[in-house]
Amino acid sequence: MGGVTAADAVIPVFADVDTGVDDAMALAYLFASADARVVGIASTAGNVPVDQVCANNLGLLELCGTSEIPVSKGSQRPLAIPLRTAEDTHGPEGIGYAQLPVGGGTLTDYDAAQAWVRAAREYPGELVGLAVGPLTNLALALRLEPALPRLLRRLVIMGGAFGYRGNTTPVAEWNVNVDPEAAAEVFSVWGAAWGLEPPAHLPIVLGLNLTENAVMTPSTLSRLAAAANSSTTPMSVLDDRGTRSAAANPLIRVLEDAMRFYFEFHFDQGEGYIAHLHDPLAAAVALDPDLVRYRQATVDVELTGTLTRGMTVPDWTGHWGRHLNARVGIDVDPGVFFERFIARVGPFAATLA
Ligand code: BDR
Ligand code: CA
């Protein structure tokens, strides 16, 4: 029998993360979204080493009651250079001051690159890929399965900076800078995947120019706790550093303890007692691309510049004569995003109390 059912509208999502404070928030958003089903998680080395990313993912799944989701371990290091990590930004274990439970789940017996390919083959034409860490494992997956772009319904990448400064070098964004060769390979392979045909879809690429609009504040975090029916104490820049959350709800407590570290990091960078929710915004766009306005481009990554290595360079007007390979996010209404984040994650957290 035909007819569209509620189940038809549920989007299978594969998430590639380097968890990471904002990666954890992104996963919580996906778990809280009735229109999404996370069918696999790739753990990628980035914010912290890959074993810590795996532990964080398994712990978060345990906390969220989603331990059945397969988690796969990725490469220990980028394609061509040593790994660089960001404990200064995300805390010694990658999730700020939070303490996650030990995850009861186990890692898959296939690696993260294979996990990408398996998920894409299992849901041909349906799977939405979300990559919010370095692109190491996605690049390796494209080597295993060059048809991956055609198998996916959509790919959303958080990475790069377009007409905007970097956050790791003056011109480079963190995810691209950790593994520039991988990012360059992904853009190059994607551009060529359709040959002379018009591409069925271009990767959505959300750089810092877009994601830094998603500014989390203590008052927004308090609204999240309220939506979870959780008691808490609003955070303030005047609090002692490392003050632990008083939230009654276990997920809100973890998110607040994680965000506290992220607020302190941004404050020390001179940005105020706020934090940019790069990865949660990308997760929201993965489920609803209409949240953002785009401009198409051919994107490449500078690999040899002595000052500009890791820079994402967009060709907006076809100077290079190469395939388009990106829809670059250029505008977003952060209010709509935060309303949706709170409306989803708050009630989801309430179910875990
Ligand atoms: C990106 O870098 C990481 O530290 C964050 O998790 C995000 O994915 C922002 O540049
Ligand atoms: Ca990330």
Side-chain angles (χ1 to χ4, degrees):
M1 296 285 287
V4 176
T5 66
D8 291 330
V10 174
I11 303 168
V13 179
F14 185 85
D16 190 322
V17 291
D18 61 332
T19 317
V21 172
D22 60 330
D23 305 73
M25 302 281 275
L27 289 173
Y29 181 86
L30 294 176
F31 300 155
S33 293
D35 54 346
R37 186 161 71 85
V38 180
V39 299
I41 296 176
S43 305
T44 290
N47 289 322
V48 285
V50 70
D51 288 314
Q52 186 65 56
V53 175
C54 289
N56 292 349
N57 289 335
L58 293 173
L60 187 68
L61 264 53
E62 184 78 22
L63 177 68
C64 292
T66 52
S67 292
E68 74 287 354
I69 297 172
V71 177
S72 305
K73 178 175 163 177
S75 171
Q76 302 268 5
R77 59 191 65 82
L79 295 184
I81 54 175
L83 176 65
R84 150 175 203 192
T85 53
E87 286 82 359
D88 61 331
T89 312
H90 293 269
E93 295 180 340
I95 43 156
Y97 296 113
Q99 279 189 328
L100 287 168
V102 175
T106 52
L107 300 173
T108 60
D109 58 9
Y110 46 88
D111 69 18
Q114 291 171 301
W116 266 106
V117 175
R118 290 169 74 116
R121 286 179 182 157
E122 194 172 345
Y123 300 94
E126 287 182 67
L127 189 71
V128 170
L130 171 68
V132 294
L135 294 174
T136 315
N137 293 304
L138 181 53
L140 293 171
L142 285 163
R143 291 181 189 179
L144 291 175
E145 177 52 283
L148 192 65
R150 290 168 174 267
L151 287 169
L152 293 186
R153 170 177 170 185
R154 179 157 66 234
L155 172 67
V156 176
I157 294 171
M158 190 282 127
F162 299 90
Y164 199 75
R165 56 151 176 76
N167 62 357
T168 307
T169 77
V171 295
E173 180 276 338
W174 171 261
N175 289 335
V176 172
N177 197 60
V178 168
D179 196 344
E181 278 75 15
E185 191 165 325
V186 167
F187 286 120
S188 158
V189 171
W190 219 280
W194 275 271
L196 296 176
E197 292 170 49
H201 61 93
L202 296 172
I204 290 174
V205 184
L206 308 180
L208 298 174
N209 53 297
L210 189 91
T211 60
E212 289 198 359
N213 287 290
V215 176
M216 178 62 111
T217 62
S219 74
T220 304
L221 208 47
S222 294
R223 284 174 53 213
L224 178 64
N229 294 322
S230 176
S231 61
T232 193
T233 307
M235 289 186 200
S236 160
V237 66
L238 301 175
D239 294 342
D240 289 338
R241 291 213 158 202
T243 300
R244 299 298 294 271
S245 167
N249 181 283
L251 179 57
I252 298 298
R253 197 160 56 240
V254 160
L255 296 183
E256 288 190 348
D257 283 338
M259 288 304 304
R260 166 89 67 187
F261 195 97
Y262 218 30
F263 284 155
E264 291 173 359
F265 168 78
H266 285 75
F267 183 80
D268 291 343
Q269 297 293 305
E271 297 180 278
Y273 203 66
I274 57 104
H276 297 129
L277 292 199
H278 312 278
D279 297 352
L281 178 59
V285 171
L287 304 187
D288 180 6
D290 291 341
L291 279 172
V292 167
R293 279 201 317 117
Y294 307 92
R295 190 171 170 196
Q296 295 189 348
T298 305
V299 171
D300 207 339
V301 179
E302 177 58 62
L303 296 178
T304 54
T306 53
L307 299 175
T308 53
R309 184 172 149 81
M311 181 180 188
T312 40
V313 181
D315 179 3
W316 303 113
T317 50
H319 288 290
W320 296 332
R322 284 159 46 187
H323 299 280
L324 291 168
N325 61 9
R327 292 171 73 199
V328 177
I330 55 168
D331 193 22
V332 64
D333 179 344
V336 174
F337 160 68
F338 276 110
E339 287 305 322
R340 200 171 293 183
F341 188 89
I342 290 168
R344 293 184 177 205
V345 178
F348 174 68
T351 66
L352 305 174

